[in-house]
Amino acid sequence: ETLYHEFGHGLHSLLSRTSFQHLSGTRAAMDFVETPSHLFETFARDPKFLSAGILARHYVAGQSMSESKARHLALSHADLRGVEVRTQIVHSKFDQALFGEHPCSPSLGGVSSTEMWERLHQEANVPFASGTHWHSRFGHLVTYGAGYYGYLYAQTFAADIWQSALVSSMVSSSSSEVSKAAAVRSG
């Protein structure tokens, strides 16, 4: 999925056709910038795509993934989806706590970032390893600066595009060309 996620960013940058370079690809609006990458992640979980042998082939025999294994893989992704969404909400709230209107900071009379990180995990019932400082290695916090909510928001856009435009076009190459162009051309 990570490979397809990053490939989505690459294609978004390569296929964008905009008048202003700072509005194309990964420089698009924060609310949208992750949409193409989440859209491409969906291919790595789609049973039709996986069993077609485009991505999943046995490394020695060259056989495509069976439809039953592809369905099982797709279903396994849903097993922990609730925890994944709650974790993304924690990340988004933490981003707002750091860069929002009232940033958490002991020097401003608030709590430390570590205390806020732990509190948000506890509120969302997301596992947290006390005494760690994982958030200090979370690079997206710096680049998103109060916009990390867009990561989860973009998953909604990607799911809608997948369902409304790509599921039916998996068989038809002409309609998928139209979908591809519409999804990334405008930046």
Side-chain angles (χ1 to χ4, degrees):
E1 286 183 26
T2 301
L3 174 65
Y4 270 62
H5 180 97
E6 299 307 329
F7 187 62
H9 283 308
L11 284 179
H12 188 199
S13 291
L14 288 170
L15 300 175
S16 292
R17 298 292 177 259
T18 63
S19 297
F20 302 101
Q21 61 87 21
H22 61 280
L23 298 176
S24 68
T26 55
R27 293 174 304 267
M30 292 302 292
D31 291 356
F32 180 79
V33 74
E34 292 289 339
T35 300
S37 55
H38 286 299
L39 185 61
F40 270 84
E41 280 182 31
T42 309
F43 281 99
R45 296 184 300 267
D46 183 72
K48 287 181 187 175
F49 183 76
L50 291 173
S51 61
I54 297 168
L55 171 67
R57 291 187 175 274
H58 189 276
Y59 76 103
V60 174
Q63 297 169 314
S64 298
M65 183 182 286
S66 70
E67 286 185 35
S68 65
K69 284 184 182 178
R71 276 193 309 277
H72 178 73
L73 182 62
L75 289 171
S76 73
H77 178 265
D79 287 346
L80 296 173
R81 181 69 178 138
V83 173
E84 180 184 347
V85 170
R86 285 195 322 261
T87 300
Q88 289 300 318
I89 291 170
V90 166
H91 292 173
S92 298
K93 284 180 155 185
F94 186 66
D95 181 43
Q96 290 293 313
L98 291 179
F99 300 104
E101 197 172 320
H102 303 287
C104 69
S105 169
S107 64
L108 296 175
V111 299
S112 73
S113 60
T114 302
E115 290 170 302
M116 178 60 73
W117 182 251
E118 187 169 0
R119 181 189 316 162
L120 291 171
H121 276 78
Q122 290 169 347
E123 288 172 3
N125 198 25
V126 172
F128 173 78
S130 189
T132 64
H133 303 279
W134 183 88
H135 61 287
S136 66
R137 297 180 45 236
F138 188 30
H140 279 44
L141 286 176
V142 175
T143 57
Y144 279 70
Y148 191 80
Y149 68 89
Y151 200 82
L152 191 55
Y153 199 39
Q155 289 179 7
T156 305
F157 292 145
D160 186 49
I161 293 167
W162 181 263
Q163 288 300 318
S164 64
L166 294 177
V167 168
S168 61
S169 70
M170 291 293 275
V171 179
S172 167
S173 62
S174 62
S175 59
S176 66
E177 287 296 318
V178 171
S179 301
K180 174 191 73 176
V184 296
R185 182 183 330 126
S186 297

